[in-house]
Amino acid sequence: LEGDTAQLELLLGTASGLRRIVFEKLVRGTYIPVASFPATNRLNWQAFDTKLEAGVNIYRARIELSNGGITFSDPVQICYAGQSGYQLFPNPAQVGQELLLLSRTLEDQVLRIYDTLGREVTNIKPRSEVQTIDTQNLPAGIYQVVVFKNEKRVQHFKLVLTN
């Protein structure tokens, strides 16, 4: 991830028998082409996706061979916080299911979760741009998730946990 762009790269061991390289993105359960290149003697291929969706973006490379064969790279995930700078998912979630908080930066951030009575039930200082949140000790219900930066509220989510 470079800013708001996914940089995709494929390194091949050989260009022998290569017909085409296609970078693909998983969109609503179907892989769609992001970029397509006819074969050359290159071993290093690169493409860019500027149409990122907030959350997890999944990509793969489709390698088409001149004999008609097709092979795929392993899928890779790029997590993108979106224009707001933060993303919380899945939501709703089940009790015990791990949540992910995506952040663009980590400057003095604190994540606080409040129950319906306004009591703070969790306080987390994110350690990475993709922070996992354990819900094992939270009962089913509706929560307010607030991200503070330098003690100032910068993002708010309503979280629903079900059994």
Side-chain angles (χ1 to χ4, degrees):
L1 182 65
E2 293 289 330
D4 294 327
T5 301
Q7 179 180 334
L8 311 172
E9 188 171 352
L10 175 68
L11 181 61
L12 298 175
T14 181
S16 176
L18 187 64
R19 186 171 74 84
R20 182 179 7 201
I21 299 293
V22 182
F23 288 94
E24 299 177 324
K25 178 179 184 177
L26 186 63
V27 178
R28 292 183 287 287
T30 303
Y31 278 97
I32 62 166
V34 172
S36 179
F37 304 98
T40 66
N41 289 330
R42 289 179 24 206
L43 298 178
N44 191 354
W45 298 86
Q46 207 173 42
F48 299 91
D49 182 16
T50 59
K51 297 177 181 169
L52 298 177
E53 296 183 28
V56 178
N57 294 265
I58 300 175
Y59 299 91
R60 72 179 182 189
R62 183 174 76 220
I63 303 161
E64 299 178 0
L65 304 175
S66 54
N67 68 4
I70 296 175
T71 190
F72 298 96
S73 70
D74 291 332
V76 294
Q77 298 180 351
I78 294 180
C79 297
Y80 177 60
Q83 296 300 318
S84 72
Y86 300 93
Q87 197 65 228
L88 178 72
F89 62 94
N91 189 7
Q94 291 185 331
V95 170
Q97 184 176 9
E98 239 179 31
L99 302 175
L100 291 179
L101 174 71
L102 304 181
S103 305
R104 281 186 182 254
T105 66
L106 290 176
E107 301 170 18
D108 293 321
Q109 292 181 24
V110 176
L111 170 79
R112 294 185 179 128
I113 300 178
Y114 300 93
D115 65 14
T116 54
L117 298 176
R119 296 177 296 201
E120 184 177 305
V121 294
T122 302
N123 185 320
I124 300 169
K125 180 159 180 52
R127 294 191 173 114
S128 75
E129 284 86 4
V130 181
Q131 176 69 45
T132 59
I133 301 166
D134 183 14
T135 64
Q136 193 67 42
N137 296 322
L138 298 175
I142 298 173
Y143 295 87
Q144 303 302 316
V145 179
V146 183
V147 179
F148 292 89
K149 186 174 177 181
N150 297 318
E151 294 303 317
K152 181 181 176 190
R153 182 178 129 165
V154 292
Q155 185 67 47
H156 173 262
F157 302 96
K158 185 189 293 186
L159 170 64
V160 176
L161 289 180
T162 61
N163 284 322

